[in-house]
Amino acid sequence: MNSPLRLGIAGLGSVGTSVVRLLQDHSGNLQGDGGPVEIVAVSARDRNRDRGLNLDGIAWHEDPVALAQSDEIDCFVELIGGEDGPALSAVEAALSAGKHVVTANKALLAAHGLRLAEAAERNDAALNFEAAVAGGIPIVKTLREALRGNTISRIYGILNGTCNYILTRMELEGITFADCLADAQKLGYAEANPTFDVEGLDTAHKLAILTSLAFGTRIDKQAIFVEGISSIQPEDIIAADELGYRIKLLGVAQRTESGIEQRVHPTMVPKDSDIARISGVTNAVAVDGDFVGSVILSGPGAGGDATASAVAGDISDIARGDRIAPLGRPADQLAPYRRAQMRAHEGGYYLRLKVRDRPGAFATIAKQMADAKISLASIVQRNRRPSSSAPRSDDFNDQPVTIITHDTTESAVRAALQGIEAEGQISEKPQMIRIEKL
Ligand code: HSE
């Protein structure tokens, strides 16, 4: 029998604990053509915490960097998290020492993935990160291996369970964004800082990695246009429903004539599309390839056990001796990322304006749209009358107007909205949600 693959695991939070349990319960599953897998050492912040694990016979390291470069291990499993700090130092130390690395750390890879891939290749080590994108869904392996024969035109997905949970509940129960977020936090879905989830940053980290794998380009998270879901109102959800759409926070990377567009924003998707049916905390990633057509994978995007499943798959590949360039191609063959500017984005738009109820308001809207060469698919005034018991406010005459445009450009829509605002015909910042063609 081959000698065992000796693992050092750093970070024993919910994912780390599940990884240890999985490896102890299912060690036989990971034994393919390679040797067995053995946890020889761990490192975590609090040694005395009861995690319900049997760590007898496993060495304990206070310092993850010391564990990462220790002679005791062949493979370092980084489950600490965070873009910099101990996670980065430990992964760099492991790769420099020629250790294989498995990580679930999306922030680390989005920021330093190219440099770490180069270090892994230089040191003849594996760098596997299936768990960093969409938890238990095997999208990294799918892009890196199974779909390699395709030229990919677009990859998009629901990559944040917290946002999808919030939008699903807003739709089903008609409750506000703030109430849903509070529940997501209680249930433990949201990141420690929920801004990361709801403002789209978590999705952007995952999209940065997917874009590199799908298009063979260097990771560039700075080039992602990011807009979160905190401005979505129940009335947008209702309007979307009436118009045949659902609102989802999508991460989208798309090949265009001027480069690759990377964007994260609330998106209207047709209700009968596969992605629209993904509800609650579930994630999904769809890939459009020239030979395969459209492929969609869905499943749990977070949670200790689901993420541990992805980590175990990565460990198994290393134990079997499967090696692949971390980003699918050798790092020096990755193309520089060419960014398509968001203002050139083409598509349909949903706009919601709070329009002052006075003569000429619609004429102004129509003129500004025409001046920007935007053709309207629909314009609806959703009359709102104050109930007799409600206090009268100065703006009770302001009426919500929803507009759906035909395909146009982002710059045209922005110009039209600026013109409408400048004419003083609306009493609130306009709402704008992009429509994705599926
Ligand atoms: N906070 C993330 C989510 C999970 O809500 O999907 C890990 O990326």
Side-chain angles (χ1 to χ4, degrees):
M1 187 159 76
N2 293 336
S3 51
L5 180 77
R6 299 166 306 158
L7 303 177
I9 300 178
L12 292 178
S14 71
V15 177
T17 302
S18 289
V19 168
V20 173
R21 254 191 322 104
L22 186 155
L23 294 173
Q24 290 177 338
D25 291 356
H26 295 331
S27 60
N29 292 1
L30 300 190
Q31 218 165 311
D33 301 333
V37 167
E38 201 180 297
I39 305 171
V40 296
V42 293
S43 171
R45 263 208 298 255
D46 179 2
R47 187 166 189 170
N48 297 319
R49 204 175 112 203
D50 180 11
R51 299 175 172 86
L53 295 175
N54 179 0
L55 298 176
D56 292 349
I58 297 176
W60 184 277
H61 283 250
E62 295 297 333
D63 176 11
V65 177
L67 168 61
Q69 56 202 2
S70 144
D71 287 340
E72 291 164 280
I73 69 164
D74 307 304
C75 175
F76 178 64
V77 182
E78 186 275 304
L79 304 171
I80 303 167
E83 177 177 321
D84 296 304
L88 176 61
S89 313
V91 167
E92 284 175 330
L95 293 174
S96 303
K99 314 284 180 195
H100 304 301
V101 170
V102 172
T103 175
N105 191 335
K106 62 222 153 178
L108 175 84
L109 290 160
H112 310 290
L114 182 64
R115 199 159 56 73
L116 295 175
E118 285 165 349
E121 289 170 27
R122 215 172 28 245
N123 292 290
D124 203 17
L127 171 61
N128 286 351
F129 48 87
E130 186 62 73
V133 183
I137 302 176
I139 185 62
V140 172
K141 211 172 173 55
T142 300
L143 290 171
R144 224 158 58 162
E145 299 173 39
L147 297 181
R148 276 302 293 278
N150 289 267
T151 295
I152 291 170
S153 52
R154 179 172 61 171
I155 180 160
Y156 60 96
I158 293 172
L159 301 170
N160 185 272
T162 301
C163 287
N164 208 47
Y165 168 86
I166 291 173
L167 292 170
T168 304
R169 281 202 61 197
M170 284 179 79
E171 182 186 342
L172 293 180
E173 297 171 41
I175 49 182
T176 62
F177 167 80
D179 287 345
C180 294
L181 173 60
D183 279 354
Q185 284 177 297
K186 265 187 238 145
L187 292 166
Y189 300 140
E191 298 284 306
N193 176 358
T195 309
F196 261 73
D197 293 300
V198 299
E199 295 308 340
L201 304 172
D202 177 75
T203 299
H205 286 151
K206 297 166 185 168
L207 184 67
I209 300 167
L210 291 180
T211 303
S212 172
L213 292 167
F215 299 106
T217 50
R218 295 184 197 145
I219 296 176
D220 190 352
K221 76 164 177 164
Q222 306 301 344
I224 304 180
F225 172 86
V226 185
E227 204 178 273
I229 62 166
S230 56
S231 71
I232 301 295
Q233 304 286 330
E235 54 200 300
D236 297 317
I237 305 257
I238 294 167
D241 183 57
E242 288 171 6
L243 292 159
Y245 294 102
R246 278 207 176 105
I247 301 175
K248 298 289 183 190
L249 183 78
L250 291 193
V252 184
Q254 181 174 10
R255 217 183 267 283
T256 74
E257 276 170 18
S258 58
I260 293 167
E261 198 173 270
Q262 288 187 99
R263 48 194 167 88
V264 173
H265 51 72
T267 310
M268 287 208 179
V269 292
K271 257 196 264 184
D272 60 1
S273 61
D274 289 334
I275 203 91
R277 296 196 188 96
I278 304 298
S279 63
V281 291
T282 303
N283 282 198
V285 189
V287 185
D288 297 337
D290 58 348
F291 273 69
V292 72
S294 290
V295 171
I296 182 160
L297 304 181
S298 66
D305 285 0
T307 309
S309 157
V311 170
D314 280 349
I315 293 171
S316 162
D317 281 351
I318 294 171
R320 256 204 324 265
D322 283 358
R323 297 283 180 280
I324 188 160
L327 294 170
R329 298 155 175 81
D332 62 3
Q333 288 174 25
L334 293 167
Y337 175 81
R338 193 158 68 94
R339 178 182 192 173
Q341 295 299 323
M342 196 58 197
R343 61 174 179 272
H345 169 72
E346 285 178 30
Y349 286 76
Y350 156 94
L351 307 170
R352 176 172 52 77
L353 311 174
K354 209 158 185 214
V355 177
R356 299 201 192 285
D357 195 2
R358 61 188 183 204
F362 262 54
T364 304
I365 293 171
K367 178 168 183 323
Q368 292 293 340
M369 292 287 168
D371 287 353
K373 301 197 169 34
I374 297 171
S375 165
L376 303 186
S378 84
I379 176 161
V380 180
Q381 178 168 325
R382 293 165 191 277
N383 280 350
R384 188 173 55 91
R385 292 278 159 237
S387 72
S388 52
S389 59
R392 283 173 72 96
S393 71
D394 287 345
D395 73 346
F396 81 96
N397 272 329
D398 297 349
Q399 299 294 343
V401 170
T402 56
I403 296 172
I404 297 286
T405 75
H406 284 300
D407 279 1
T408 179
T409 61
E410 179 100 2
S411 56
V413 172
R414 290 197 180 277
L417 291 178
Q418 254 176 23
I420 294 166
E421 279 186 274
E423 298 264 3
Q425 298 288 16
I426 54 177
S427 59
E428 256 182 31
K429 190 173 171 298
Q431 175 66 291
M432 174 179 101
I433 303 178
R434 297 163 192 86
I435 300 172
E436 192 72 16
K437 240 193 227 123
L438 297 174

